[in-house]
Amino acid sequence: MKKITGLFLAGLLCCLCGCSAEEQKPSETENVFQNMEGSAEEGYSVKNLEWGMAEEAVREAAGEESLEADGDRLIATSESGDVQYAEIYIFADETRQNLVTVEYTWNSQEKDSFSSVSDALYQYAADAMEETDAGSKLTEEMMETGATWTGSDGSMVQILSSGQSAISVRLHAPRQAPATLG
């Protein structure tokens, strides 16, 4: 009986304190940069993914069972309190045969929650990334206006903020040289 009561109290405490595994994901901003590989000299990519992958390969590599198809995208979302998190795999077109961008987005209408996510993202990005394309290290002001890092192969990492409620990190595949007209 003591064991059952103990398990019930532990479960109740988890519910009251909000300690579920799904609720941890939106605030784990450092995972974006832990999933990133490369540098300005080598080009940027996402671990376990290759630019140009088709939908099925992305699904397998991402290990996300909850990916939903929407046009040229596969999207996984989760929520923790008032913070919404989306992981978006963007393809060149609706056939979803050519992965070109991976985006991680956090959104919250609550100023404190948004600031917490933004501050954590800023700190980790400032530690993990080299000089931006603007020729300086990441600053807090850049978090509000955006920052870009471009690899030698044309791949890019961007931090984009839309006001005081959403912030995204996008990794873009190398740009393809335009075909010459013949």
Side-chain angles (χ1 to χ4, degrees):
M1 186 67 172
K2 286 183 181 181
K3 197 177 210 178
I4 293 172
T5 303
L7 288 173
F8 173 76
L9 289 175
L12 183 61
L13 183 60
C14 275
C15 289
L16 292 174
C17 294
C19 60
S20 78
E22 184 175 330
E23 291 184 9
Q24 298 297 321
K25 191 170 186 173
S27 63
E28 293 177 359
T29 55
E30 64 273 5
N31 281 346
V32 171
F33 292 97
Q34 289 174 347
N35 287 337
M36 193 176 72
E37 295 179 323
S39 65
E41 293 81 28
E42 301 168 0
Y44 299 103
S45 62
V46 179
K47 286 182 185 175
N48 302 322
L49 296 176
E50 292 180 25
W51 298 122
M53 289 177 108
E55 176 181 0
E56 290 308 313
V58 170
R59 285 182 181 277
E60 186 177 320
E64 286 282 342
E65 295 176 15
S66 62
L67 285 172
E68 294 183 28
D70 183 15
D72 65 347
R73 299 158 191 255
L74 294 176
I75 304 169
T77 59
S78 62
E79 194 168 326
S80 174
D82 60 343
V83 177
Q84 295 83 38
Y85 172 74
E87 195 168 304
I88 306 166
Y89 301 89
I90 304 170
F91 297 85
D93 57 38
E94 291 188 6
T95 64
R96 295 190 292 275
Q97 295 298 310
N98 182 11
L99 179 68
V100 295
T101 301
V102 177
E103 178 178 328
Y104 306 92
T105 298
W106 295 264
N107 185 358
S108 178
Q109 298 301 317
E110 296 294 323
K111 187 176 181 176
D112 290 342
S113 296
F114 179 75
S115 292
S116 175
V117 169
S118 182
D119 291 348
L121 180 61
Y122 163 75
Q123 189 58 52
Y124 200 84
D127 292 343
M129 299 299 292
E130 303 154 356
E131 285 188 358
T132 65
D133 286 359
S136 63
K137 287 293 266 180
L138 182 67
T139 65
E140 287 190 53
E141 292 78 30
M142 287 179 189
M143 292 295 285
E144 295 174 13
T145 60
T148 302
W149 295 264
T150 302
S152 62
D153 63 354
S155 59
M156 288 194 309
V157 176
Q158 293 179 303
I159 295 178
L160 306 167
S161 180
S162 59
Q164 296 295 317
S165 63
I167 191 162
S168 299
V169 175
R170 290 184 186 157
L171 287 93
H172 299 280
R175 287 185 228 116
Q176 299 296 320
T180 57
L181 299 174

